[in-house]
Structures are given as C-alpha cells and as structure tokens.
Amino acid sequence: MPGGRAAEERLDTMMATKIRSAFLAGIRGLALMIVSLTGSVILFTFTIVSIVLILIGVGLFTTPAVLTALRGYASQRRLLAAKWSDVRIPVPYRPMPTDLRGGFVGQVERCALMLKDPATWRDFLWLLVDMTVGSVSALLPAVLFLYPVESLVLAGGLWRVFADGGDAYWYGPVRVDSQGTSLFAVAFGLVIFHAGIRYNPALLRAHFKLTKSLLGPTPEMTLAQRVDHLTETRHDAVDTSAAELRRIERDLHDGAQARLVAMGMNLGTIEALVEKDPAQAKKLLAMARESSAEALSELRDLVRGIHPPVLAERGLGDAVRALALRLPIETEVTVDLPRRADAPVESAAYFAVSEVLTNAVKHSGADRIYADIHHADGMLRISVTDNGRGGAAAAPGSGLSGIERRLGTFDGILAVSSPAGGPTMVTMEIPCELF
C-alpha cells in the first residue's frame, strides 16, 4: 500500500539520520579526546611555567600571551559546544580597559588584570578536568562505535590466536575461546552498537555540559556582569536624556522661540502703525500670521521628535508605517504585533527604527527598503533590510553604536550583516511582553 510504503520510507530516513548523528558524535568525540590530551596538556604546562616565571619577571611578559591563547582555546571549545550539541556557553571574562599604558607598567597591569579575573582560574581548572575526565567523556561515544568492531574481528578468526597461545580472551563479560563464544561476543557487540546509536549524541552533549560547568560564568559572575551592564546602560540612558534635552532646547531657541520673538516685535510695530499707516500694518499682520503658522509647525515637529502622536495613539506598527510614507525611498513594512508593548519600549524601538531608516536613506544607495516587526518568544524583533551597497558597521561613535546603546537600556541587542556589495540587514531585539 502507498501509505505503508511512505511510512516505511520515513522510518528508514529517521533511522539513517539517527545512525548518522550517532556516528558523527563518535567521530567528534574521538577528535575532542585527541585535542584534550594534546592542547589541554600543553596549555596547562605552559600556564604553570609562565605563572612561576613571574617571580623572576619573565612571566610578566609571557603570562598575558599564554592566557590569551588559553582564552582563545576555551572560546573555540565554546564554539564547538554550540555547533555540535547546541550547548550555549556564555563568555565570562571581564573586559580589558582600553586605556592601558604602554611599556613595562602597562604589561604589569595587563598581567595583573588577567590574573585577578576569576574566569582565568576557572579556565585553568577546566584544562585540568578536560585532559582527565573530559577526555574520557569525549572518548565514550567513539568507544561505543569502535568496540563492536573488535567483536567482528574476533569472530573472523582472531580468537584462534589467543586460543592457540593458551590465553583466555575476554570481550566484556564474554570469554572467547571458540567460534561459538565469538558469536556471543558479536551479539554483545551489537548491543553496544545499539547503545551507541541511541546514546552517542547525549554522551557528547554531556561532555559539553561538563565543559559549560567550568567555562560558563558562576551565578556570582553573572550577577557582577549584570550589575556592570546595568551601570553602563544607566549612564548611557542619562547621557541620552541629557543630549535629548539639549537638542530640544536648541531647537526651541533656534526655531519656534526666534519666530515667536519676531512675531512679538511685529505686533509691537503693528500697534504703532495701525492708525498712521494701515496698509503697512496689514503687511506686518500677514507676516505675523505666517510666523505664527511656521512656529506652530516647528512645535509640532518638535513634539513629534519627542514622542510621535501616532505612536502614542496607534502603536509601533502604524508609527513605523507612517514614518515609511515620509521616506524618499520605497519602503515596505510588515507588522505582526497582536498587542502593544510598554510605552518606553515602543518609544525606544521607534526611534531605533527611525535612525536605521535614516541611515539607509542617507548612506546605503538603496532603492528599496524592507522592515519587518514581530514578537516571538518574549522578544520584540525588528529587521530592516536594504538593497544598497553594504559596508555598514556598528563602529564606536557611529549611528549604529548609538542605537545599540539605546537598546541596551532595555537589555536589547543589535546585529548588523552588511557585506560589501550588500544587502544590509540590521536586526534589533528587545525582551518585552505585549499587553
């Protein structure tokens, strides 16, 4: 029957996928074991020697280099954990100051900062565990695939070599001294092989879980990083608010305020001319009316820059659509927001999108822009893509880095993909709930 055949094909595909995953886990485990017994041992030795050499001054120059290599080695293992077993291991290192002095004094400061970092000593402990327990746990998936091969070799006639020598050969719990017992060994090998198919991916994941317990941050380190992050974002928020206040004051002083002052002077002149020169008074009244209209328009623009009315009344999606209609480049906006986020989150997201769109119009050379706004897994996700020349980057001091700081106030993140030649995609995520 066609339905039964399709079911069998699906079952065969699933089994083939399972065997392939188990085989890959075995190969990867074997590779990890080799790396653990070489790279971890070498780095462990170099680290000990370099730290001891600090006593005679040589270690002040070698230790930062060795610890940097250790961090690179650990980061590579974090990458493999995420890629091979989907185990995410956060990086716990303290950021190095950017204003370290040069020369011998700067080298001493660098060495001291790296040695004072608790993550350094956890890396060192991980090396010790990785080259012992870690190498064994990495080897297990390979053993479950390689050990059954030995049973096949025994059944092929190798058992006779041991029997002729008068020695008893044990394959697991099976004493192999005849062709019959060698077949029992094959049966036991098939059991091990089946266990490998079933458990190899889990065993490899267990190895990376062990790695995470040492390379990942402790709760205290996570709390310290959180405090540092909140302190930094608080400073950024204060700086942003101060800059926004200065902008408002400048716009009021240079725009609406100047027009209102001019209108007041015109009204004073009109008052003096209304009886002597009515025609001139009418001209000045027209100018005053024009100044009042321009001042009102500038005040509306200023209010829109602080918090657009459409954002307050209709939400983020319609506010971005209204913003897109004012752009000189064709912009397509897709919104999937069943409810609204908190007003501060909407405001931050709106101005972030506004600045990204402005940057695209000014610098990308694109003729089409796509914006997608949706909410999933507790995250407000926004992506802005243009078909321009590419080359955008969130470099320090750039507009994108300012957006990143703005989002950081809400624990948001920004990612930029902009290869040379385009396209450019700017992705923003803000953790929030919709209400």
Side-chain angles (χ1 to χ4, degrees), residues 240-284:
T240 301
S241 298
E244 191 69 11
L245 285 174
R246 289 193 297 270
R247 182 188 69 80
I248 294 170
E249 291 173 354
R250 183 177 63 252
D251 291 347
L252 283 173
H253 182 272
D254 297 341
Q257 180 178 327
R259 296 190 183 280
L260 291 172
V261 169
M263 187 173 65
M265 295 174 64
N266 286 338
L267 289 174
T269 304
I270 292 168
E271 188 178 7
L273 293 175
V274 69
E275 294 181 357
K276 298 178 181 179
D277 192 350
Q280 184 65 22
K282 286 183 178 180
K283 291 182 180 179
L284 292 175

Coordinates of all heavy atoms in Angstrom, one line a residue, residues 240-284:
T240 N 21.9 60.0 27.1 CA 21.0 60.1 26.0 C 19.9 61.2 26.4 O 19.5 62.0 25.5 CB 20.3 58.8 25.7 OG1 21.3 57.9 25.3 CG2 19.3 58.9 24.5
S241 N 19.4 61.1 27.6 CA 18.4 62.0 28.1 C 18.9 63.5 28.1 O 18.3 64.4 27.6 CB 17.9 61.7 29.5 OG 17.3 60.4 29.5
A242 N 20.2 63.6 28.5 CA 20.8 64.9 28.5 C 21.0 65.5 27.1 O 20.7 66.7 26.9 CB 22.1 64.9 29.3
A243 N 21.4 64.6 26.2 CA 21.6 65.0 24.8 C 20.2 65.4 24.2 O 20.1 66.4 23.4 CB 22.2 63.9 24.0
E244 N 19.2 64.7 24.6 CA 17.8 65.0 24.0 C 17.3 66.3 24.6 O 16.7 67.1 23.8 CB 16.9 63.8 24.4 CG 15.5 63.9 23.7 CD 15.6 63.5 22.3 OE1 16.7 63.1 21.8 OE2 14.6 63.8 21.6
L245 N 17.6 66.6 25.8 CA 17.2 67.9 26.4 C 17.9 69.0 25.7 O 17.3 70.1 25.4 CB 17.5 67.9 27.9 CG 16.5 67.1 28.8 CD1 17.0 67.1 30.2 CD2 15.1 67.7 28.7
R246 N 19.2 68.8 25.5 CA 20.0 69.9 24.8 C 19.4 70.1 23.4 O 19.4 71.2 22.9 CB 21.5 69.5 24.7 CG 22.2 69.6 26.1 CD 23.7 69.5 25.9 NE 24.1 68.3 25.4 CZ 24.4 67.2 26.1 NH1 24.3 67.2 27.4 NH2 24.8 66.1 25.5
R247 N 19.1 69.0 22.7 CA 18.5 69.1 21.3 C 17.2 69.9 21.4 O 17.0 70.8 20.5 CB 18.3 67.8 20.7 CG 17.8 67.8 19.3 CD 17.4 66.4 18.8 NE 16.2 65.9 19.5 CZ 14.9 66.2 19.2 NH1 14.7 67.1 18.2 NH2 13.9 65.7 19.8
I248 N 16.3 69.6 22.3 CA 15.1 70.3 22.4 C 15.3 71.8 22.7 O 14.6 72.6 22.1 CB 14.2 69.6 23.5 CG1 13.8 68.2 23.1 CG2 12.9 70.5 23.8 CD1 13.1 67.4 24.2
E249 N 16.2 72.1 23.7 CA 16.5 73.5 24.0 C 17.0 74.2 22.7 O 16.6 75.3 22.5 CB 17.5 73.5 25.1 CG 16.9 73.1 26.5 CD 18.0 73.0 27.5 OE1 19.2 73.2 27.2 OE2 17.7 72.7 28.7
R250 N 17.9 73.5 22.0 CA 18.5 74.2 20.8 C 17.4 74.4 19.8 O 17.4 75.5 19.1 CB 19.6 73.3 20.3 CG 20.3 73.9 19.1 CD 21.4 73.0 18.6 NE 21.0 71.7 18.1 CZ 21.1 70.6 18.8 NH1 21.8 70.5 19.9 NH2 20.7 69.4 18.3
D251 N 16.5 73.4 19.5 CA 15.5 73.6 18.5 C 14.5 74.6 18.9 O 14.1 75.4 18.1 CB 14.8 72.2 18.3 CG 15.7 71.2 17.6 OD1 16.7 71.6 17.1 OD2 15.3 70.0 17.6
L252 N 14.2 74.7 20.2 CA 13.3 75.8 20.7 C 13.9 77.2 20.5 O 13.3 78.1 20.0 CB 12.9 75.6 22.1 CG 11.9 74.5 22.4 CD1 11.7 74.3 23.9 CD2 10.5 74.9 21.8
H253 N 15.2 77.2 20.8 CA 15.9 78.5 20.8 C 16.1 79.0 19.3 O 15.8 80.2 19.0 CB 17.2 78.4 21.5 CG 18.0 79.7 21.5 ND1 18.9 80.1 20.5 CD2 18.0 80.7 22.4 CE1 19.4 81.3 20.8 NE2 18.9 81.7 22.0
D254 N 16.5 78.1 18.5 CA 16.8 78.5 17.1 C 15.5 78.5 16.2 O 15.6 79.1 15.1 CB 17.8 77.5 16.5 CG 19.1 77.5 17.2 OD1 19.4 78.5 17.9 OD2 19.9 76.5 17.1
G255 N 14.5 77.9 16.6 CA 13.3 77.8 15.8 C 12.1 78.5 16.3 O 11.9 79.7 16.1
A256 N 11.2 77.8 17.0 CA 10.0 78.4 17.5 C 10.2 79.7 18.3 O 9.4 80.7 18.2 CB 9.2 77.4 18.2
Q257 N 11.2 79.6 19.2 CA 11.4 80.8 20.1 C 11.7 82.0 19.3 O 11.2 83.1 19.5 CB 12.5 80.5 21.1 CG 12.7 81.7 22.1 CD 13.8 81.3 23.1 OE1 13.9 80.2 23.5 NE2 14.6 82.3 23.5
A258 N 12.6 81.9 18.3 CA 13.0 83.0 17.5 C 11.8 83.5 16.7 O 11.7 84.8 16.5 CB 14.1 82.6 16.5
R259 N 11.0 82.7 16.2 CA 9.8 83.1 15.4 C 8.8 83.8 16.3 O 8.2 84.8 15.9 CB 9.2 81.9 14.7 CG 10.1 81.3 13.6 CD 9.4 80.3 12.8 NE 10.3 79.7 11.8 CZ 10.7 80.2 10.7 NH1 10.3 81.5 10.4 NH2 11.5 79.6 9.9
L260 N 8.6 83.3 17.5 CA 7.7 84.0 18.4 C 8.2 85.3 18.8 O 7.4 86.3 19.0 CB 7.5 83.1 19.7 CG 6.7 81.8 19.4 CD1 6.7 80.9 20.6 CD2 5.3 82.1 19.0
V261 N 9.5 85.5 19.1 CA 10.1 86.8 19.4 C 9.9 87.8 18.2 O 9.5 88.9 18.4 CB 11.6 86.7 19.7 CG1 12.2 88.1 19.8 CG2 11.7 85.9 21.1
A262 N 10.1 87.3 17.0 CA 9.9 88.1 15.8 C 8.5 88.5 15.7 O 8.1 89.7 15.3 CB 10.4 87.4 14.6
M263 N 7.6 87.6 16.0 CA 6.1 87.9 15.9 C 5.7 89.0 16.9 O 4.9 89.9 16.6 CB 5.3 86.6 16.1 CG 3.8 86.8 15.8 SD 2.9 85.2 15.9 CE 3.2 84.8 17.6
G264 N 6.3 88.9 18.1 CA 6.0 89.9 19.1 C 6.5 91.2 18.7 O 5.8 92.2 19.0
M265 N 7.7 91.3 18.1 CA 8.2 92.6 17.7 C 7.3 93.2 16.5 O 7.0 94.4 16.5 CB 9.6 92.4 17.2 CG 10.6 92.0 18.3 SD 12.3 91.7 17.6 CE 12.7 93.3 17.0
N266 N 6.9 92.3 15.6 CA 6.0 92.7 14.6 C 4.7 93.3 15.1 O 4.1 94.3 14.6 CB 5.7 91.6 13.6 CG 6.9 91.3 12.7 OD1 7.7 92.2 12.5 ND2 6.9 90.1 12.1
L267 N 4.1 92.6 16.1 CA 2.9 93.1 16.7 C 3.1 94.4 17.4 O 2.2 95.3 17.4 CB 2.4 92.0 17.8 CG 1.8 90.7 17.2 CD1 1.5 89.7 18.3 CD2 0.6 91.0 16.3
G268 N 4.2 94.6 18.0 CA 4.5 96.0 18.6 C 4.6 97.0 17.5 O 4.0 98.2 17.7
T269 N 5.2 96.7 16.4 CA 5.2 97.7 15.3 C 3.9 97.9 14.7 O 3.5 99.1 14.4 CB 6.2 97.2 14.2 OG1 7.5 96.9 14.8 CG2 6.4 98.2 13.1
I270 N 3.1 96.9 14.6 CA 1.7 97.0 14.1 C 0.9 97.9 15.0 O 0.1 98.8 14.5 CB 1.0 95.6 14.0 CG1 1.7 94.8 12.9 CG2 -0.5 95.7 13.7 CD1 1.3 93.3 12.9
E271 N 1.1 97.8 16.3 CA 0.3 98.6 17.2 C 0.6 100.1 17.0 O -0.3 101.0 17.1 CB 0.7 98.2 18.6 CG -0.2 98.9 19.7 CD 0.2 98.4 21.1 OE1 1.2 97.7 21.2 OE2 -0.5 98.8 22.0
A272 N 1.9 100.4 16.6 CA 2.2 101.8 16.4 C 1.8 102.3 15.1 O 1.5 103.5 14.9 CB 3.8 101.9 16.5
L273 N 1.6 101.4 14.1 CA 1.3 101.8 12.7 C -0.2 101.7 12.4 O -0.6 102.1 11.3 CB 2.1 101.0 11.7 CG 3.6 101.2 11.7 CD1 4.3 100.2 10.7 CD2 4.0 102.7 11.3
V274 N -1.0 101.1 13.2 CA -2.3 100.7 12.9 C -3.2 102.0 12.5 O -4.1 101.9 11.7 CB -3.0 99.9 14.0 CG1 -3.2 100.8 15.2 CG2 -4.3 99.3 13.5
E275 N -2.9 103.1 13.1 CA -3.6 104.3 12.8 C -2.9 105.2 11.8 O -3.5 105.8 10.9 CB -3.9 105.1 14.1 CG -4.8 104.4 15.1 CD -5.0 105.3 16.3 OE1 -4.4 106.4 16.4 OE2 -5.8 104.9 17.2
K276 N -1.5 105.2 11.8 CA -0.8 106.1 10.9 C -0.6 105.5 9.5 O -0.7 106.2 8.5 CB 0.7 106.3 11.5 CG 0.7 107.0 12.8 CD 2.1 107.2 13.3 CE 2.2 107.8 14.7 NZ 3.5 108.0 15.2
D277 N -0.4 104.2 9.4 CA -0.2 103.5 8.1 C -0.8 102.2 8.1 O -0.2 101.1 8.2 CB 1.4 103.4 7.8 CG 1.7 103.0 6.4 OD1 0.7 102.7 5.7 OD2 2.9 103.0 6.0
P278 N -2.2 102.2 7.9 CA -2.9 100.9 7.9 C -2.4 99.9 6.9 O -2.4 98.7 7.2 CB -4.3 101.3 7.6 CG -4.4 102.8 8.0 CD -3.0 103.3 7.7
A279 N -2.0 100.3 5.7 CA -1.5 99.4 4.7 C -0.3 98.6 5.2 O -0.2 97.4 5.0 CB -1.2 100.1 3.4
Q280 N 0.7 99.4 5.7 CA 1.9 98.7 6.3 C 1.5 97.8 7.4 O 2.1 96.7 7.6 CB 2.9 99.8 6.7 CG 4.2 99.2 7.2 CD 5.0 98.5 6.0 OE1 4.8 98.8 4.9 NE2 5.9 97.7 6.4
A281 N 0.6 98.2 8.2 CA 0.2 97.4 9.4 C -0.4 96.1 8.9 O -0.2 95.0 9.5 CB -0.9 98.1 10.2
K282 N -1.2 96.1 7.8 CA -1.7 94.8 7.2 C -0.6 93.9 6.7 O -0.7 92.7 6.9 CB -2.7 95.2 6.1 CG -4.0 95.8 6.5 CD -4.9 96.0 5.3 CE -6.2 96.6 5.7 NZ -7.1 96.9 4.6
K283 N 0.4 94.5 6.1 CA 1.5 93.7 5.7 C 2.2 93.0 6.9 O 2.5 91.8 6.8 CB 2.5 94.5 4.9 CG 2.1 95.0 3.5 CD 3.2 95.8 2.9 CE 2.7 96.3 1.5 NZ 3.7 97.1 0.8
L284 N 2.4 93.8 7.9 CA 3.1 93.2 9.1 C 2.2 92.2 9.8 O 2.7 91.2 10.3 CB 3.4 94.3 10.1 CG 4.5 95.3 9.7 CD1 4.7 96.4 10.7 CD2 5.8 94.5 9.5

